[in-house]
Amino acid sequence: MDLHAMHFPYHPFVLPFTIGLVFVFFYIVGKWIYWISRLGKDDRFKILKNIFTLKTPQAIYEVFMECLLHRKVFKKNALLGYMHMSLALGWFLLIILGNLETRYFTHGRINPPYFPIFFEFFEHDLISLNYGRFFTVAMDFLLLFILTGVGLAYFKRFKSKPLGMQRTTKHVPIDRWALTALWLIFPLRLFAQGVTAGLYDAGSFLTNPVGNLLASFLPIHYLYYPSWWAYSFALGSFFVLLPFSRYMHIPTEILLIFLRKYGVAEKNIHSTYTKVELSSCSRCGICIDACQLGSDLGIVSTQSTYFIKSLRYDKPSDLLIDSCMVCKRCDQVCPVGIDIASIRANERKELHLFDENSYKYINGYRYKSAKIAYFAGCMGHLTPSVYKATLALFDKAGVDYNFIDKDGSICCGRPLQLTGQEDAAMQLIEKNIKLIENCGATVLVTSCPICAKVFNDSYNLKIPIYHHSQYLLKLAKEQKLTFNKTDIKITYHDPCELGRGLGVYEEPRELLKLAGNLIESSNSRENSLCCGGSLGITNISQEQRHTIATITLDELSANKADIVATACPLCKKTFKSASENTMIADISEIMLDSINDRGIKHNPKTVSKEVVKSININR
Ligand code: SF4
Ligand code: SF4
Ligand code: SF4
């Protein structure tokens, strides 16, 4: 048969599909154009600057890895990853192969979009054509691949634990309708193809047996047209519902990946980029399990997915906005990479805890000049043993430093940022920048990861910024500090802001290895638990903070280390208030102790006691 010579075959049942497809295509293109055109000038410039660079193929690669293969979901749970992959990759390949099939059999003719989708309806005699068997087998295989994913998706709605999820999200009505349409598409395709195969023996290893089975108990010649109508209706309904349901994440995630690659990021005010991020949330619910407010305190209605859902459709309640420690564990696990913490911080703009007079005192300041500007931060001042140990090490290394917030006067600006007062924070930051620049320092060192993050992200300083763990390691590498390694077993807690916030995981470990034996806890590095002391949350009680700290500390001390090392003054303070027997020390205190070797290297138990004693002296 020469399909090339045929006019385009047509049947009215293709209309629901075609109308849905046209609608969703123009809706998505229109939305993308709208979002991009409403981005700030600088963001549009970034896109133009980067579009013809390597960033574009890198974005395409990421789209392939995340949107089709779902690599990050695979990392969370293989079965969950397979479920997402089979639906996304399977459907994508089915479309590609369907198009190749029709192009091949019509000798390269450009066909209407419905033709590849309903090809089996229009063409029953492929087997007799060249490569006909190949195409029918491959199409059956892809259909089976997708159906296994649909099966897992049904299963997940009733039992989500085997797919690695403690909890899943509830659907709003439009999600439910879209989900129903989606779940019907592929079983209906199997049914329509099965009926066709039963009538014409036109299928392969999947559709032929299904067709024979259906023919054994159903009058399939009556079902031929209704089955194709039903399949077309399911597709059309899904397309029409997609933009208003969570499935809008499918096209939007692609846009998000490109924008992110080109350097567009969440700012201190919502933009259309925020809208892109919100629409990219698939409500997969992976962020729910990561949140310690849920696992430790049983608060299970304020996690990021609920916050995002509420912000996408309406305005989140104060409870949703405030209930977050900004620990970024959810950011870390989110397969889409949404900057949820920043979106929440922007939503906190309504709360005004500070006014313009709060930081007036800063005007009269001047620093004496020194090579190193050391900043303890307000948390550092609440835990003086940390800055004392750090400065003692500086003295031993002969560092020329200036303790710029010695009298505890300057704030880095984080509290203002956390409460959404970006203008006030910017004024404070501008003043701080001048003070630091005027003292002629060539390096800024801080003990507080929170301050380090703020200096890094919000200050345009021309000098490098180090957390003290990084700077002490640098001094050790330059042989300005030498340490005595003992048998002591140390477990290290990655503070949220230093680890997930700044990506500093190696240096504290390298440094601690100079003092003792490092043993990892089960949730370290990117998965590190929060201490619960976060300044980002104001609506949990002291007892609730204590619960989080106790659970985190239990996990940290489960490996029977002699010391739990921290690198954040707030973490140290929080853990200390929750610890009964566990020894907690800042990395600077451990290093100071190891430099003051007291000849107690051989018995870990003795070491522990001595170290406690020495650390207590420093406190
Ligand atoms: S925020 Fe991320 S992890 Fe949470 S539901 Fe949305 S996509 Fe999933
Ligand atoms: S940032 Fe931390 S506390 Fe806030 S929602 Fe995410 S996981 Fe929970
Ligand atoms: S104090 Fe440490 S663990 Fe706690 S929230 Fe801050 S960085 Fe995270």
Side-chain angles (χ1 to χ4, degrees), residues 280-383:
S280 297
C281 170
S282 62
R283 259 168 260 159
C284 65
I286 290 178
C287 55
I288 305 177
D289 293 344
C291 181
Q292 288 167 262
L293 293 180
S295 57
D296 296 358
L297 302 182
I299 300 171
V300 285
S301 54
T302 60
Q303 276 71 17
S304 296
T305 184
Y306 308 118
F307 166 75
I308 288 178
K309 183 170 97 180
S310 170
L311 190 57
R312 182 176 168 196
Y313 292 115
D314 193 8
K315 171 107 189 76
S317 65
D318 286 353
L319 186 71
L320 271 173
I321 296 170
D322 296 344
S323 299
C324 170
M325 300 189 286
V326 204
C327 68
K328 298 193 179 193
R329 275 175 67 80
C330 52
D331 285 26
Q332 183 63 41
V333 295
C334 174
V336 189
I338 303 172
D339 185 358
I340 314 161
S342 303
I343 298 176
R344 248 198 241 248
N346 283 340
E347 270 303 297
R348 292 178 171 185
K349 285 191 177 349
E350 312 288 305
L351 309 163
H352 291 293
L353 299 184
F354 303 93
D355 63 25
E356 58 185 18
N357 291 321
S358 305
Y359 292 91
K360 259 194 173 160
Y361 60 80
I362 203 171
N363 287 326
Y365 262 78
R366 181 159 273 291
Y367 296 142
K368 77 172 171 60
S369 65
K371 283 217 174 94
I372 310 295
Y374 173 72
F375 189 89
C378 51
M379 283 307 129
H381 279 281
L382 288 175
T383 320

Side-chain angles (χ1 to χ4, degrees), residues 425-443:
M426 270 328 289
Q427 286 177 29
L428 182 73
I429 287 169
E430 291 302 328
K431 286 179 181 174
N432 281 341
I433 290 173
K434 283 207 180 79
L435 285 172
I436 293 165
E437 280 175 353
N438 286 345
C439 86
T442 52
V443 170

